Amino acid sequence: MFRRRGFNISSLAVGNSEIPNLSRMTFVVEGDSRTVEQVTKHLHKLIDVIRVSDISDDNAVARELALMRIHTTSQTRSDVMQIVDLFRANVIDVANDSLIVEVVGDEEKVDALQNLLAPYGVMEVMRTGIVAMTRGMNANGGGSGRNGGSSRRPTFNESGSV
Amino acid sequence: MELSGAKILIESLKQEGVEYVFGVNGGAAMPIFDALYDHPDVKLIMMRHEQGASHAADGYARATGEVGVTLATSGPGATNLVTGIATAFMDSIPMVAITGQVYTHLMGNDAFQECDVIGVTRPVCKHSYLIKSGDEVADVIAEAFHIASTGRPGPVVVDFAKDAQIHESLFRYPEKVNIRSYKPKVEGHPRQIAKAVELIHNAERPILYAGGGVTLANASEELRELAIKTGIPITVTLMGLGAFPETHPLAMEMPGMHGSCCANYAFTDSDLVVAIGARFDDRVTGDLTKFAPNAKKIHIDIDASCIGKNVPVDVPIVGDAKRVLAEMNKLVHRVDIEPWMRQINEWKEQYPFEYNQKGDNIMPQYVIEQIYDLYSDAIVVGDVGQHQMWAAQYFKFTEPRQWLNSGGLGTMGFSLPAAIGAQLGCPDKTVVNINGDGSYIMTIQELVPAITMKLPLKIFIINNMYLGMVRQWQELFHQKRYAGVDYHDNPDFAQLADAFGATGIRVERIEDVRPALEKAKGIDDGPVVIDFIVDEEENVFPMVPAGAGLGDVIRGLA
């Protein structure tokens, strides 16, 4: 559906939900509000889709996980690990000339870490794509939202499995 | 009682009220054909090519409003159905296409006549199912028919593995179908309807724009009531012709690329467009930046994704046309638009559909006029091309489901098999097939079942010895470089029809046109094919060239 209608997907994440036989998929779609409206309507038409929510403008938390393989020498290793610490990320594998960093955060945080580590040599990056959830209501009558300034907008979608 | 999957399939079809299955046999579907062999209620109509089978099921569905059923074997049988499935998909026709599939343990193995039918048809069907076990059949068929015929109708593909066809299980047909993730919205929102009615009452230059969706919703009565109650002029698209009688004073005739100047000018000057069951297709709108620039738009459609897709809409109403129009009709009254109606009538009078007589040649438009005169309440099945446009222009349709044609996909070869389906669905009606020489030869093999079943089809070929519509574009836009359009090597279609066993008549002179049509009326023991040899380079006008606005329509005559 996406390819045929020419919608651009930045990322896609899918997995089980708390309900058996129900999966949740999260799409990040590039485009203006008209594009997003069309994407939402077309997703609704798919028989297996139960519900589609466009949470681009809602107060939502969005997270993705990334694994990054960074080149290290005995001189640079501790610098790299310091940067990793500052981001509250983890080193999950160490080898002679590289290590693997695991980081969880919103898109900006992951981008920032990757940029800071670039000078040392980023050998490989795997990103899961964003999963997102709307915030619950707090005493002030609303969660503190993040302001999506870019043209990327997360769309949240539930689907039953056949 | 324990029945094989194939037998359960046929019994399920019977539960759905299916009379005919249009199909071609093959290895992976043999158990299904066997179950049909001596079934007292569900009848196999044996076509000669699976494409023909799919178009026949489509034609049956368009003529009756019921779900058409087509059946083929695996591999090439299934792929031959794809054109017909895509045709039904583009025009939202309710259809269930059943394909045999190899044994489940061979699937994915590049087995003989194996094909990933679900994968191949995914973009051109509303939904699809793969049956791997005999006990799934009844539920799948019930769901498939429900999905095909509700909401925005469309083709559903059911791929049926051969071992599942043989596997025996208990047959129990579900009483109700409940698909949690599929609940089409039928009632329009009352506040939106009220807003729409207000806009209608305040408009000075409104028009109604109705499409194929009105016929699909069986909403022709409600549409008539709306137009007549309000007194608003109405244009009906190629797919909806007949939903409103074209002979009525309020009718502006078809809009768009080859539509009437009146309808096109009306769009351009209107201040309110009420769209019902139409989708603002590019053939109708022309250049979108110049389309109805001063008009507010109300859009009533059952498919939310159609609303606002091409054209921004001021009052969207998602719902079934029949229900929404019924609610609207309770609220509307006559609108005072006297000056606008005067303008509309001026345009109608100044710019009717017209053509010039060229010497002694038979003009294709003349043939259509004679067909209309002699067969005005027949079901007319058109194919694709110039003849299709002339039929739409010169035949004045007055009833829904009277005009059948492939509008969305524009599939050549559609009409002959579709006419077979239509005749079987409406045995008491005369079925006229207006065909072209290019289209006719694409599915000519389906003459055989028509003859075997003695269907009294009237097959009229508008033969200009060219792939006409393409030639027209080459003449107008490509310096007459007639590449790949010369059909002068066509066989003699009248002689060919005789060889098949039908009645063939060749007409080369104007004075023979009407007598041949009258003679065809009297032939009722089988199909009659009349080959009308017409002017070779006649063009379809008016025309809005691609990229132009509706207001820039070319009228064509000197």
Side-chain angles (χ1 to χ4, degrees):
Chain A
M1 185 277 282
F2 275 89
R3 191 206 64 239
R4 176 185 174 204
R5 305 270 173 185
F7 302 131
N8 282 320
I9 308 180
S10 304
S11 78
L12 158 61
V14 56
N16 291 330
S17 71
E18 72 285 3
I19 301 169
N21 285 335
L22 188 90
S23 329
R24 286 217 165 87
M25 302 173 94
T26 307
F27 294 89
V28 177
V29 177
E30 302 230 17
D32 56 15
S33 52
R34 253 201 73 187
T35 305
V36 171
E37 192 192 322
Q38 277 291 296
V39 170
T40 310
K41 286 175 170 175
H42 278 288
L43 282 171
H44 268 300
K45 276 170 79 167
L46 299 174
I47 305 284
D48 294 323
V49 170
I50 295 174
R51 187 153 51 102
V52 180
S53 319
D54 172 11
I55 59 174
S56 317
D57 294 324
D58 295 353
N59 290 332
V61 287
R63 294 285 181 270
E64 72 174 314
L65 178 134
L67 298 178
M68 303 184 194
R69 193 193 305 277
I70 311 297
H71 179 259
T72 52
T73 65
S74 46
Q75 284 94 357
T76 63
R77 189 177 293 126
S78 51
D79 282 353
V80 169
M81 288 175 66
Q82 245 189 6
I83 294 172
V84 168
D85 262 343
L86 284 169
F87 276 76
R88 295 189 308 269
N90 300 315
V91 173
I92 57 174
D93 183 60
V94 186
N96 272 334
D97 59 353
S98 68
L99 48 74
I100 299 182
V101 177
E102 165 203 75
V103 58
V104 174
D106 61 19
E107 210 180 351
E108 284 150 6
K109 173 179 172 182
V110 176
D111 285 343
L113 178 59
Q114 190 175 334
N115 288 333
L116 272 176
L117 293 175
Y120 300 94
V122 173
M123 298 163 70
E124 199 180 333
V125 174
M126 289 274 260
R127 293 170 75 149
T128 59
I130 292 180
V131 289
M133 212 177 255
T134 49
R135 289 177 184 272
M137 299 297 269
N138 64 19
N140 298 333
S144 55
R146 104 187 155 106
N147 187 13
S150 70
S151 67
R152 286 159 165 232
R153 308 163 134 263
T155 302
F156 176 66
N157 156 316
E158 291 175 67
S159 97
S161 58
V162 178
Chain B
M1 190 178 42
E2 295 250 316
L3 293 177
S4 70
K7 290 217 173 86
I8 293 181
L9 171 68
I10 308 304
E11 290 306 319
S12 302
L13 293 180
K14 178 176 169 201
Q15 292 289 320
E16 292 292 336
V18 173
E19 298 178 273
Y20 300 111
V21 173
F22 300 89
V24 177
N25 207 341
M30 282 176 68
I32 304 176
F33 279 80
D34 190 272
L36 277 169
Y37 182 58
D38 44 13
H39 198 279
D41 304 300
V42 183
K43 192 155 183 276
L44 168 71
I45 305 298
M46 205 171 79
M47 305 295 286
R48 285 305 188 277
H49 187 287
E50 289 90 352
Q51 180 183 352
S54 59
H55 291 324
D58 185 334
Y60 177 89
R62 289 174 200 245
T64 61
E66 305 288 326
V67 176
V69 181
T70 184
L71 170 65
T73 187
S74 61
T79 54
N80 278 341
L81 285 182
V82 174
T83 302
I85 295 170
T87 304
F89 182 66
M90 286 292 272
D91 291 340
S92 307
I93 305 300
M95 187 159 107
V96 171
I98 303 166
T99 52
Q101 179 57 276
V102 300
Y103 290 98
T104 44
H105 64 268
L106 287 178
M107 283 176 64
N109 220 353
D110 298 327
F112 176 65
Q113 294 199 328
E114 183 205 348
C115 175
D116 176 11
V117 176
I118 304 291
V120 167
T121 56
R122 181 158 283 131
V124 293
C125 68
K126 187 172 175 186
H127 195 51
S128 54
Y129 291 92
L130 170 60
I131 301 178
K132 301 216 281 205
S133 161
D135 52 16
E136 294 169 2
V137 179
D139 287 320
V140 165
I141 294 298
E143 276 190 26
F145 272 75
H146 176 72
I147 293 174
S149 57
T150 54
R152 180 178 182 176
V156 176
V157 174
V158 177
D159 199 24
F160 198 173
K162 195 164 182 184
D163 43 342
Q165 296 172 31
I166 301 171
H167 168 216
E168 296 205 344
S169 66
L170 206 57
F171 171 52
R172 190 197 54 83
Y173 203 67
E175 270 185 38
K176 270 194 314 162
V177 176
N178 183 13
I179 306 174
R180 173 186 170 190
S181 49
Y182 175 69
K183 305 258 180 247
K185 186 156 188 282
V186 284
E187 303 293 346
H189 196 293
R191 232 181 319 129
Q192 293 295 91
I193 295 178
K195 259 206 253 178
V197 170
E198 204 193 315
L199 279 182
I200 290 174
H201 287 158
N202 291 327
E204 291 179 345
R205 304 186 303 283
I207 64 172
L208 300 182
Y209 156 53
V214 172
T215 304
L216 289 170
N218 295 310
S220 163
E221 291 286 317
E222 288 78 4
L223 178 67
R224 282 163 209 230
E225 198 186 321
L226 178 68
I228 293 171
K229 228 177 167 187
T230 54
I232 297 180
I234 173 168
T235 177
V236 181
T237 68
L238 178 68
M239 289 311 297
L241 289 177
F244 189 84
E246 298 212 278
T247 46
H248 192 281
L250 284 174
M252 294 190 284
E253 300 201 87
M254 176 172 91
M257 183 177 264
H258 290 297
S260 76
C261 291
C262 174
N264 288 340
Y265 290 149
F267 262 118
T268 311
D269 278 10
S270 66
D271 67 352
L272 178 68
V273 173
V274 186
I276 308 148
R279 56 187 174 95
F280 294 97
D281 177 68
D282 61 87
R283 299 284 116 164
V284 166
T285 62
D287 182 352
L288 281 170
T289 59
K290 300 188 188 144
F291 177 69
N294 305 314
K296 289 203 146 70
K297 281 123 192 150
I298 299 169
H299 194 170
I300 302 166
D301 204 297
I302 195 154
D303 181 352
S305 74
C306 271
I307 301 181
K309 181 181 69 172
N310 293 335
V311 163
V313 169
D314 299 278
V315 182
I317 305 178
V318 179
D320 173 88
K322 198 176 175 75
R323 307 266 193 118
V324 173
L325 288 179
E327 287 306 308
M328 257 184 158
N329 286 336
K330 294 182 191 163
L331 302 170
V332 292
H333 57 64
R334 191 161 193 84
V335 221
D336 180 15
I337 45 172
E338 176 63 42
W340 179 233
M341 280 313 297
R342 252 183 283 126
Q343 171 67 278
I344 301 280
N345 287 324
E346 245 176 63
W347 282 328
K348 270 169 94 167
E349 240 172 287
Q350 270 185 292
Y351 310 120
F353 290 122
E354 53 189 359
Y355 61 97
N356 288 330
Q357 178 62 42
K358 293 183 187 163
D360 289 329
N361 293 348
I362 302 178
M363 301 312 290
Q365 300 91 330
Y366 173 72
V367 179
I368 308 290
E369 284 173 333
Q370 297 308 306
I371 296 174
Y372 173 55
D373 195 49
L374 289 167
Y375 294 90
S376 58
D377 42 359
I379 294 179
V380 180
V381 189
D383 212 290
V384 171
Q386 290 183 312
H387 70 275
Q388 174 194 27
M389 293 294 105
W390 284 316
Q393 291 174 341
Y394 288 89
F395 199 109
K396 311 299 173 195
F397 298 97
T398 51
E399 294 297 321
R401 300 190 190 281
Q402 192 187 1
W403 164 244
L404 315 180
N405 76 139
S406 165
L409 197 62
T411 308
M412 286 174 67
F414 168 79
S415 64
L416 173 54
I420 293 174
Q423 182 78 90
L424 286 169
C426 305
D428 300 327
K429 296 218 149 174
T430 306
V431 175
V432 166
N433 171 216
I434 299 181
N435 220 325
D437 49 300
S439 305
Y440 178 63
I441 202 158
M442 285 197 175
T443 47
I444 188 175
Q445 75 279 352
E446 306 305 340
L447 261 188
V448 178
I451 293 166
T452 307
M453 294 187 281
K454 298 194 189 310
L455 301 181
L457 299 176
K458 318 294 174 204
I459 302 165
F460 302 144
I461 307 171
I462 309 294
N463 190 342
N464 55 10
M465 305 279 182
Y466 274 110
L467 199 59
M469 187 59 89
V470 180
R471 185 211 56 75
Q472 172 169 338
W473 282 56
Q474 288 170 336
E475 178 186 328
L476 295 177
F477 309 120
H478 298 281
Q479 302 90 44
K480 278 197 169 192
R481 290 167 62 85
Y482 287 168
V485 293
D486 191 330
Y487 276 42
H488 283 85
D489 52 355
N490 275 340
D492 182 328
F493 287 130
Q495 280 192 4
L496 194 47
D498 284 334
F500 269 90
T503 312
I505 304 173
R506 185 182 175 90
V507 172
E508 289 172 328
R509 297 176 313 162
I510 303 181
E511 55 267 32
D512 295 333
V513 171
R514 204 181 161 88
L517 289 171
E518 281 166 339
K519 180 163 181 209
K521 254 195 163 181
I523 298 172
D524 58 0
D525 59 350
V528 52
V529 177
I530 307 186
D531 193 9
F532 293 97
I533 312 299
V534 305
D535 183 277
E536 290 188 2
E537 290 185 272
E538 179 67 356
N539 289 323
V540 184
F541 285 112
M543 179 173 191
V544 179
L550 291 183
D552 304 324
V553 51
I554 300 173
R555 290 196 281 274
L557 298 170

